[in-house]
Each structure stands twice: as C-alpha cells, then as structure tokens.
Amino acid sequence: LFLDQNTLDTLSWGLVVARVLLPLGFLVALLQSRHFATTALQTLLEKLAARPTFDQWRGMVAGALDDDALRLGYHDPHAGRFREPGGGELDPPAPPGRAWVPVERDGQPVAAMVIDESLTQDPELVRAASTATLIAVENGSLEGELRASRARTAEAGHAERRRIERDLHDGAQQHLAGLSIEIALARELAKEDPEVVARLDVLGHGLENALGE
C-alpha cells in the first residue's frame, strides 16, 4: 500500500502535534490533581473549626477521598497500637484492594488510614488528607475518643510512676536505711581506729545522699 505525499505530510504533522500535546496533557492533569488536593486540604482544615469528634472526622476524610469504606485510627502510644473511633484496633497490613497509609511526624506515628488502593494513583490528594489529619491530631482539634485516649495514657503514666514510688519506698529505700544502721554500728565498733571511722563516715554521707535521692 502506497500513500501519496499529501497523506504522508498530514500524518507527519499529526505525529508532531501528538508529541506536543501529550506532555501538555500530563501537565494539565497534574495541575488539576494538585488543585483538587489543595481544595480538599483547605476544606478539611476549615471543618476543624467545628471541633469534630474522631468519628465525624473519619467521615469528613472519607468524603474528601470519596471512599466510604475508609478506616482511620489514631496512634495510642501507651498500647503501641492504632485505635479506631469506638476503641477498635487498626493494624497493618491492609486487606486486598486496600492500602495502608501511615500519618507520621518526624518518623513517629500519629495516625493511619486504610484507603481504596486506587487512591494511591492520586498521591497529592492522599497527602492532603494525611496532612489535615496530622494537624487535627497535633492541635487537639479532635474531641471524643481521642481526648479520652490521651486521658487514659496520662493516667497510665501516673499509675506507673506511683508503682515505681512504691517499689522504691518498699524496696530500695528500706534497704538503704538498713545499710545506714549497719554503718552506724560499724562506726561504734571501730571507734578505736580513726582511719576506719573516717572511711565509714564517707560511706555514711554517700548513703545519706543516695537515700535522699
């Protein structure tokens, strides 16, 4: 099959136009994606003014990503797990067809999302949802379960400190007090030897400092 020169010229120009328009199409798609992500981030941040509960926030993020099955959990540092609204646990890996998206600050976990795997093709949008969630958690804008979890974590920390205090009082403190008495008795027995008494005095002062700490 032979083509005339006019047809060949037309095809050549068509290829040139396609080569020019193809990268422009990618650029337009990229700009549209970034614009949509920026709009979604702005909308989510505006909704934080209403101080939603964590369950309400999950619904807002699900709406922004158009993913009704989205799961969202905040990190419970005391348990080292992710908690969903209502107290359920959320742990990796994600099930088939879903993707695990961590929300972190300086490498430390803050929250996590399980989203439709197809959304990973739009990383700008996913990043916008993650950023909004990070801001919401760090600024204390979420109420309800998240605040209750922080209260539980703080109480657990207080309970652990009280346990350590009891252990010190019942164990180390009594042991040090007993040693202090033994040193006092040894000082009485060695009162004829000034050098030994001097060494026992040094030990006694060190023991008193340790007991005070």
PDB file of all heavy atoms in Angstrom, residues 122-154:
ATOM      1  N   ASP A 122      -3.414   8.871  43.124  1.00  0.00           N
ATOM      2  CA  ASP A 122      -3.543  10.322  43.306  1.00  0.00           C
ATOM      3  C   ASP A 122      -2.847  10.697  44.618  1.00  0.00           C
ATOM      4  O   ASP A 122      -3.498  11.029  45.610  1.00  0.00           O
ATOM      5  CB  ASP A 122      -5.011  10.722  43.342  1.00  0.00           C
ATOM      6  CG  ASP A 122      -5.213  12.225  43.219  1.00  0.00           C
ATOM      7  OD1 ASP A 122      -4.197  12.966  43.280  1.00  0.00           O
ATOM      8  OD2 ASP A 122      -6.358  12.672  43.074  1.00  0.00           O
ATOM      9  N   PRO A 123      -1.513  10.627  44.642  1.00  0.00           N
ATOM     10  CA  PRO A 123      -0.785  10.843  45.908  1.00  0.00           C
ATOM     11  C   PRO A 123      -0.977  12.232  46.491  1.00  0.00           C
ATOM     12  O   PRO A 123      -0.899  12.415  47.705  1.00  0.00           O
ATOM     13  CB  PRO A 123       0.678  10.605  45.509  1.00  0.00           C
ATOM     14  CG  PRO A 123       0.723  10.825  44.034  1.00  0.00           C
ATOM     15  CD  PRO A 123      -0.597  10.368  43.520  1.00  0.00           C
ATOM     16  N   GLU A 124      -1.213  13.236  45.641  1.00  0.00           N
ATOM     17  CA  GLU A 124      -1.418  14.601  46.147  1.00  0.00           C
ATOM     18  C   GLU A 124      -2.653  14.660  47.033  1.00  0.00           C
ATOM     19  O   GLU A 124      -2.639  15.278  48.100  1.00  0.00           O
ATOM     20  CB  GLU A 124      -1.552  15.574  44.971  1.00  0.00           C
ATOM     21  CG  GLU A 124      -0.318  15.710  44.105  1.00  0.00           C
ATOM     22  CD  GLU A 124       0.766  16.538  44.779  1.00  0.00           C
ATOM     23  OE1 GLU A 124       0.452  17.219  45.771  1.00  0.00           O
ATOM     24  OE2 GLU A 124       1.915  16.492  44.319  1.00  0.00           O
ATOM     25  N   LEU A 125      -3.721  14.003  46.612  1.00  0.00           N
ATOM     26  CA  LEU A 125      -4.967  14.011  47.377  1.00  0.00           C
ATOM     27  C   LEU A 125      -4.797  13.252  48.689  1.00  0.00           C
ATOM     28  O   LEU A 125      -5.234  13.709  49.754  1.00  0.00           O
ATOM     29  CB  LEU A 125      -6.091  13.393  46.552  1.00  0.00           C
ATOM     30  CG  LEU A 125      -7.466  13.329  47.216  1.00  0.00           C
ATOM     31  CD1 LEU A 125      -7.960  14.722  47.598  1.00  0.00           C
ATOM     32  CD2 LEU A 125      -8.471  12.635  46.293  1.00  0.00           C
ATOM     33  N   VAL A 126      -4.139  12.090  48.625  1.00  0.00           N
ATOM     34  CA  VAL A 126      -3.906  11.304  49.836  1.00  0.00           C
ATOM     35  C   VAL A 126      -3.031  12.081  50.810  1.00  0.00           C
ATOM     36  O   VAL A 126      -3.261  12.085  52.019  1.00  0.00           O
ATOM     37  CB  VAL A 126      -3.261   9.951  49.472  1.00  0.00           C
ATOM     38  CG1 VAL A 126      -2.907   9.178  50.746  1.00  0.00           C
ATOM     39  CG2 VAL A 126      -4.199   9.130  48.606  1.00  0.00           C
ATOM     40  N   ARG A 127      -2.020  12.774  50.280  1.00  0.00           N
ATOM     41  CA  ARG A 127      -1.131  13.566  51.133  1.00  0.00           C
ATOM     42  C   ARG A 127      -1.913  14.707  51.796  1.00  0.00           C
ATOM     43  O   ARG A 127      -1.647  15.054  52.960  1.00  0.00           O
ATOM     44  CB  ARG A 127       0.027  14.121  50.309  1.00  0.00           C
ATOM     45  CG  ARG A 127       1.134  14.750  51.167  1.00  0.00           C
ATOM     46  CD  ARG A 127       2.303  15.215  50.313  1.00  0.00           C
ATOM     47  NE  ARG A 127       2.895  14.113  49.563  1.00  0.00           N
ATOM     48  CZ  ARG A 127       2.857  14.004  48.242  1.00  0.00           C
ATOM     49  NH1 ARG A 127       2.271  14.930  47.510  1.00  0.00           N
ATOM     50  NH2 ARG A 127       3.424  12.983  47.643  1.00  0.00           N
ATOM     51  N   ALA A 128      -2.850  15.289  51.085  1.00  0.00           N
ATOM     52  CA  ALA A 128      -3.661  16.366  51.662  1.00  0.00           C
ATOM     53  C   ALA A 128      -4.486  15.852  52.837  1.00  0.00           C
ATOM     54  O   ALA A 128      -4.560  16.495  53.893  1.00  0.00           O
ATOM     55  CB  ALA A 128      -4.579  16.960  50.591  1.00  0.00           C
ATOM     56  N   ALA A 129      -5.094  14.671  52.674  1.00  0.00           N
ATOM     57  CA  ALA A 129      -5.891  14.084  53.762  1.00  0.00           C
ATOM     58  C   ALA A 129      -4.998  13.744  54.953  1.00  0.00           C
ATOM     59  O   ALA A 129      -5.387  13.941  56.110  1.00  0.00           O
ATOM     60  CB  ALA A 129      -6.620  12.839  53.264  1.00  0.00           C
ATOM     61  N   SER A 130      -3.795  13.231  54.687  1.00  0.00           N
ATOM     62  CA  SER A 130      -2.867  12.893  55.762  1.00  0.00           C
ATOM     63  C   SER A 130      -2.418  14.146  56.511  1.00  0.00           C
ATOM     64  O   SER A 130      -2.343  14.153  57.742  1.00  0.00           O
ATOM     65  CB  SER A 130      -1.643  12.165  55.185  1.00  0.00           C
ATOM     66  OG  SER A 130      -2.022  10.962  54.557  1.00  0.00           O
ATOM     67  N   THR A 131      -2.119  15.206  55.763  1.00  0.00           N
ATOM     68  CA  THR A 131      -1.670  16.454  56.377  1.00  0.00           C
ATOM     69  C   THR A 131      -2.758  17.044  57.269  1.00  0.00           C
ATOM     70  O   THR A 131      -2.485  17.491  58.395  1.00  0.00           O
ATOM     71  CB  THR A 131      -1.277  17.470  55.290  1.00  0.00           C
ATOM     72  OG1 THR A 131      -0.214  16.928  54.498  1.00  0.00           O
ATOM     73  CG2 THR A 131      -0.829  18.785  55.911  1.00  0.00           C
ATOM     74  N   ALA A 132      -3.984  17.045  56.779  1.00  0.00           N
ATOM     75  CA  ALA A 132      -5.098  17.591  57.568  1.00  0.00           C
ATOM     76  C   ALA A 132      -5.292  16.777  58.852  1.00  0.00           C
ATOM     77  O   ALA A 132      -5.535  17.339  59.920  1.00  0.00           O
ATOM     78  CB  ALA A 132      -6.383  17.588  56.736  1.00  0.00           C
ATOM     79  N   THR A 133      -5.172  15.457  58.747  1.00  0.00           N
ATOM     80  CA  THR A 133      -5.331  14.604  59.928  1.00  0.00           C
ATOM     81  C   THR A 133      -4.204  14.839  60.925  1.00  0.00           C
ATOM     82  O   THR A 133      -4.428  14.894  62.142  1.00  0.00           O
ATOM     83  CB  THR A 133      -5.363  13.122  59.506  1.00  0.00           C
ATOM     84  OG1 THR A 133      -6.494  12.904  58.649  1.00  0.00           O
ATOM     85  CG2 THR A 133      -5.471  12.217  60.721  1.00  0.00           C
ATOM     86  N   LEU A 134      -2.988  14.998  60.429  1.00  0.00           N
ATOM     87  CA  LEU A 134      -1.846  15.282  61.302  1.00  0.00           C
ATOM     88  C   LEU A 134      -2.067  16.583  62.068  1.00  0.00           C
ATOM     89  O   LEU A 134      -1.865  16.652  63.284  1.00  0.00           O
ATOM     90  CB  LEU A 134      -0.569  15.370  60.470  1.00  0.00           C
ATOM     91  CG  LEU A 134       0.708  15.763  61.229  1.00  0.00           C
ATOM     92  CD1 LEU A 134       1.058  14.722  62.278  1.00  0.00           C
ATOM     93  CD2 LEU A 134       1.864  15.938  60.252  1.00  0.00           C
ATOM     94  N   ILE A 135      -2.496  17.618  61.370  1.00  0.00           N
ATOM     95  CA  ILE A 135      -2.760  18.913  62.011  1.00  0.00           C
ATOM     96  C   ILE A 135      -3.883  18.776  63.038  1.00  0.00           C
ATOM     97  O   ILE A 135      -3.812  19.325  64.147  1.00  0.00           O
ATOM     98  CB  ILE A 135      -3.110  19.970  60.956  1.00  0.00           C
ATOM     99  CG1 ILE A 135      -1.886  20.244  60.062  1.00  0.00           C
ATOM    100  CG2 ILE A 135      -3.585  21.262  61.604  1.00  0.00           C
ATOM    101  CD1 ILE A 135      -2.188  21.137  58.873  1.00  0.00           C
ATOM    102  N   ALA A 136      -4.921  18.031  62.679  1.00  0.00           N
ATOM    103  CA  ALA A 136      -6.063  17.870  63.579  1.00  0.00           C
ATOM    104  C   ALA A 136      -5.649  17.197  64.884  1.00  0.00           C
ATOM    105  O   ALA A 136      -6.028  17.636  65.971  1.00  0.00           O
ATOM    106  CB  ALA A 136      -7.149  17.041  62.886  1.00  0.00           C
ATOM    107  N   VAL A 137      -4.849  16.142  64.782  1.00  0.00           N
ATOM    108  CA  VAL A 137      -4.435  15.408  65.976  1.00  0.00           C
ATOM    109  C   VAL A 137      -3.473  16.237  66.822  1.00  0.00           C
ATOM    110  O   VAL A 137      -3.625  16.344  68.036  1.00  0.00           O
ATOM    111  CB  VAL A 137      -3.788  14.070  65.583  1.00  0.00           C
ATOM    112  CG1 VAL A 137      -3.214  13.374  66.818  1.00  0.00           C
ATOM    113  CG2 VAL A 137      -4.809  13.157  64.904  1.00  0.00           C
ATOM    114  N   GLU A 138      -2.466  16.850  66.180  1.00  0.00           N
ATOM    115  CA  GLU A 138      -1.442  17.582  66.927  1.00  0.00           C
ATOM    116  C   GLU A 138      -1.998  18.847  67.579  1.00  0.00           C
ATOM    117  O   GLU A 138      -1.531  19.251  68.640  1.00  0.00           O
ATOM    118  CB  GLU A 138      -0.282  17.935  66.006  1.00  0.00           C
ATOM    119  CG  GLU A 138       0.546  16.728  65.601  1.00  0.00           C
ATOM    120  CD  GLU A 138       1.859  17.119  64.977  1.00  0.00           C
ATOM    121  OE1 GLU A 138       1.950  18.227  64.415  1.00  0.00           O
ATOM    122  OE2 GLU A 138       2.813  16.314  65.066  1.00  0.00           O
ATOM    123  N   ASN A 139      -2.972  19.477  66.952  1.00  0.00           N
ATOM    124  CA  ASN A 139      -3.528  20.710  67.509  1.00  0.00           C
ATOM    125  C   ASN A 139      -4.657  20.448  68.496  1.00  0.00           C
ATOM    126  O   ASN A 139      -5.253  21.380  69.031  1.00  0.00           O
ATOM    127  CB  ASN A 139      -4.037  21.620  66.391  1.00  0.00           C
ATOM    128  CG  ASN A 139      -2.900  22.226  65.590  1.00  0.00           C
ATOM    129  OD1 ASN A 139      -1.745  22.037  65.936  1.00  0.00           O
ATOM    130  ND2 ASN A 139      -3.217  22.937  64.538  1.00  0.00           N
ATOM    131  N   GLY A 140      -4.977  19.177  68.710  1.00  0.00           N
ATOM    132  CA  GLY A 140      -6.028  18.853  69.665  1.00  0.00           C
ATOM    133  C   GLY A 140      -7.401  19.272  69.208  1.00  0.00           C
ATOM    134  O   GLY A 140      -8.284  19.548  70.024  1.00  0.00           O
ATOM    135  N   SER A 141      -7.613  19.328  67.886  1.00  0.00           N
ATOM    136  CA  SER A 141      -8.911  19.771  67.382  1.00  0.00           C
ATOM    137  C   SER A 141      -9.963  18.676  67.418  1.00  0.00           C
ATOM    138  O   SER A 141     -11.153  18.950  67.251  1.00  0.00           O
ATOM    139  CB  SER A 141      -8.755  20.274  65.934  1.00  0.00           C
ATOM    140  OG  SER A 141      -7.852  21.349  65.874  1.00  0.00           O
ATOM    141  N   LEU A 142      -9.549  17.437  67.569  1.00  0.00           N
ATOM    142  CA  LEU A 142     -10.495  16.327  67.597  1.00  0.00           C
ATOM    143  C   LEU A 142     -10.905  16.033  69.030  1.00  0.00           C
ATOM    144  O   LEU A 142     -10.073  15.964  69.924  1.00  0.00           O
ATOM    145  CB  LEU A 142      -9.882  15.079  66.969  1.00  0.00           C
ATOM    146  CG  LEU A 142      -9.413  15.224  65.517  1.00  0.00           C
ATOM    147  CD1 LEU A 142      -8.832  13.911  65.032  1.00  0.00           C
ATOM    148  CD2 LEU A 142     -10.543  15.666  64.627  1.00  0.00           C
ATOM    149  N   GLU A 143     -12.171  15.836  69.231  1.00  0.00           N
ATOM    150  CA  GLU A 143     -12.690  15.572  70.560  1.00  0.00           C
ATOM    151  C   GLU A 143     -13.106  14.113  70.678  1.00  0.00           C
ATOM    152  O   GLU A 143     -12.909  13.321  69.772  1.00  0.00           O
ATOM    153  CB  GLU A 143     -13.871  16.500  70.867  1.00  0.00           C
ATOM    154  CG  GLU A 143     -13.472  17.985  70.872  1.00  0.00           C
ATOM    155  CD  GLU A 143     -14.644  18.894  71.156  1.00  0.00           C
ATOM    156  OE1 GLU A 143     -15.790  18.428  71.034  1.00  0.00           O
ATOM    157  OE2 GLU A 143     -14.408  20.060  71.493  1.00  0.00           O
ATOM    158  N   GLY A 144     -13.739  13.766  71.769  1.00  0.00           N
ATOM    159  CA  GLY A 144     -14.297  12.430  71.925  1.00  0.00           C
ATOM    160  C   GLY A 144     -13.249  11.389  72.250  1.00  0.00           C
ATOM    161  O   GLY A 144     -12.494  11.510  73.209  1.00  0.00           O
ATOM    162  N   GLU A 145     -13.195  10.325  71.409  1.00  0.00           N
ATOM    163  CA  GLU A 145     -12.349   9.171  71.699  1.00  0.00           C
ATOM    164  C   GLU A 145     -10.881   9.543  71.829  1.00  0.00           C
ATOM    165  O   GLU A 145     -10.159   9.000  72.662  1.00  0.00           O
ATOM    166  CB  GLU A 145     -12.517   8.117  70.599  1.00  0.00           C
ATOM    167  CG  GLU A 145     -13.909   7.476  70.541  1.00  0.00           C
ATOM    168  CD  GLU A 145     -14.860   8.277  69.680  1.00  0.00           C
ATOM    169  OE1 GLU A 145     -14.458   9.379  69.248  1.00  0.00           O
ATOM    170  OE2 GLU A 145     -15.983   7.815  69.449  1.00  0.00           O
ATOM    171  N   LEU A 146     -10.416  10.482  70.982  1.00  0.00           N
ATOM    172  CA  LEU A 146      -9.004  10.837  71.014  1.00  0.00           C
ATOM    173  C   LEU A 146      -8.630  11.469  72.346  1.00  0.00           C
ATOM    174  O   LEU A 146      -7.606  11.136  72.944  1.00  0.00           O
ATOM    175  CB  LEU A 146      -8.694  11.806  69.877  1.00  0.00           C
ATOM    176  CG  LEU A 146      -7.231  12.222  69.728  1.00  0.00           C
ATOM    177  CD1 LEU A 146      -6.349  11.003  69.562  1.00  0.00           C
ATOM    178  CD2 LEU A 146      -7.059  13.164  68.554  1.00  0.00           C
ATOM    179  N   ARG A 147      -9.463  12.380  72.829  1.00  0.00           N
ATOM    180  CA  ARG A 147      -9.193  13.015  74.115  1.00  0.00           C
ATOM    181  C   ARG A 147      -9.242  11.991  75.242  1.00  0.00           C
ATOM    182  O   ARG A 147      -8.417  12.013  76.158  1.00  0.00           O
ATOM    183  CB  ARG A 147     -10.202  14.136  74.360  1.00  0.00           C
ATOM    184  CG  ARG A 147      -9.991  14.872  75.659  1.00  0.00           C
ATOM    185  CD  ARG A 147     -10.846  16.117  75.722  1.00  0.00           C
ATOM    186  NE  ARG A 147     -10.451  17.074  74.692  1.00  0.00           N
ATOM    187  CZ  ARG A 147     -11.072  18.232  74.472  1.00  0.00           C
ATOM    188  NH1 ARG A 147     -12.108  18.564  75.208  1.00  0.00           N
ATOM    189  NH2 ARG A 147     -10.659  19.041  73.524  1.00  0.00           N
ATOM    190  N   ALA A 148     -10.206  11.067  75.171  1.00  0.00           N
ATOM    191  CA  ALA A 148     -10.318  10.033  76.191  1.00  0.00           C
ATOM    192  C   ALA A 148      -9.082   9.137  76.190  1.00  0.00           C
ATOM    193  O   ALA A 148      -8.588   8.719  77.235  1.00  0.00           O
ATOM    194  CB  ALA A 148     -11.571   9.191  75.948  1.00  0.00           C
ATOM    195  N   SER A 149      -8.577   8.836  74.984  1.00  0.00           N
ATOM    196  CA  SER A 149      -7.374   8.004  74.896  1.00  0.00           C
ATOM    197  C   SER A 149      -6.186   8.706  75.523  1.00  0.00           C
ATOM    198  O   SER A 149      -5.392   8.083  76.235  1.00  0.00           O
ATOM    199  CB  SER A 149      -7.068   7.681  73.431  1.00  0.00           C
ATOM    200  OG  SER A 149      -5.831   7.017  73.315  1.00  0.00           O
ATOM    201  N   ARG A 150      -6.049  10.003  75.270  1.00  0.00           N
ATOM    202  CA  ARG A 150      -4.941  10.742  75.865  1.00  0.00           C
ATOM    203  C   ARG A 150      -5.068  10.755  77.388  1.00  0.00           C
ATOM    204  O   ARG A 150      -4.071  10.664  78.101  1.00  0.00           O
ATOM    205  CB  ARG A 150      -4.917  12.163  75.311  1.00  0.00           C
ATOM    206  CG  ARG A 150      -4.397  12.226  73.874  1.00  0.00           C
ATOM    207  CD  ARG A 150      -4.459  13.622  73.325  1.00  0.00           C
ATOM    208  NE  ARG A 150      -3.752  13.722  72.059  1.00  0.00           N
ATOM    209  CZ  ARG A 150      -3.797  14.783  71.281  1.00  0.00           C
ATOM    210  NH1 ARG A 150      -4.496  15.832  71.618  1.00  0.00           N
ATOM    211  NH2 ARG A 150      -3.119  14.793  70.136  1.00  0.00           N
ATOM    212  N   ALA A 151      -6.298  10.856  77.872  1.00  0.00           N
ATOM    213  CA  ALA A 151      -6.504  10.841  79.323  1.00  0.00           C
ATOM    214  C   ALA A 151      -6.100   9.480  79.897  1.00  0.00           C
ATOM    215  O   ALA A 151      -5.474   9.398  80.954  1.00  0.00           O
ATOM    216  CB  ALA A 151      -7.963  11.148  79.655  1.00  0.00           C
ATOM    217  N   ARG A 152      -6.460   8.396  79.176  1.00  0.00           N
ATOM    218  CA  ARG A 152      -6.085   7.064  79.644  1.00  0.00           C
ATOM    219  C   ARG A 152      -4.566   6.899  79.645  1.00  0.00           C
ATOM    220  O   ARG A 152      -3.995   6.290  80.550  1.00  0.00           O
ATOM    221  CB  ARG A 152      -6.734   5.996  78.750  1.00  0.00           C
ATOM    222  CG  ARG A 152      -8.242   5.848  78.939  1.00  0.00           C
ATOM    223  CD  ARG A 152      -8.736   4.571  78.291  1.00  0.00           C
ATOM    224  NE  ARG A 152      -8.500   4.558  76.854  1.00  0.00           N
ATOM    225  CZ  ARG A 152      -9.362   5.022  75.947  1.00  0.00           C
ATOM    226  NH1 ARG A 152     -10.521   5.537  76.346  1.00  0.00           N
ATOM    227  NH2 ARG A 152      -9.089   4.962  74.664  1.00  0.00           N
ATOM    228  N   THR A 153      -3.918   7.434  78.590  1.00  0.00           N
ATOM    229  CA  THR A 153      -2.464   7.332  78.511  1.00  0.00           C
ATOM    230  C   THR A 153      -1.800   8.085  79.657  1.00  0.00           C
ATOM    231  O   THR A 153      -0.850   7.600  80.283  1.00  0.00           O
ATOM    232  CB  THR A 153      -1.972   7.905  77.167  1.00  0.00           C
ATOM    233  OG1 THR A 153      -2.548   7.148  76.096  1.00  0.00           O
ATOM    234  CG2 THR A 153      -0.462   7.829  77.067  1.00  0.00           C
ATOM    235  N   ALA A 154      -2.317   9.300  79.953  1.00  0.00           N
ATOM    236  CA  ALA A 154      -1.759  10.091  81.046  1.00  0.00           C
ATOM    237  C   ALA A 154      -1.955   9.387  82.380  1.00  0.00           C
ATOM    238  O   ALA A 154      -1.045   9.335  83.219  1.00  0.00           O
ATOM    239  CB  ALA A 154      -2.411  11.472  81.071  1.00  0.00           C
TER     240      ALA A 154
END
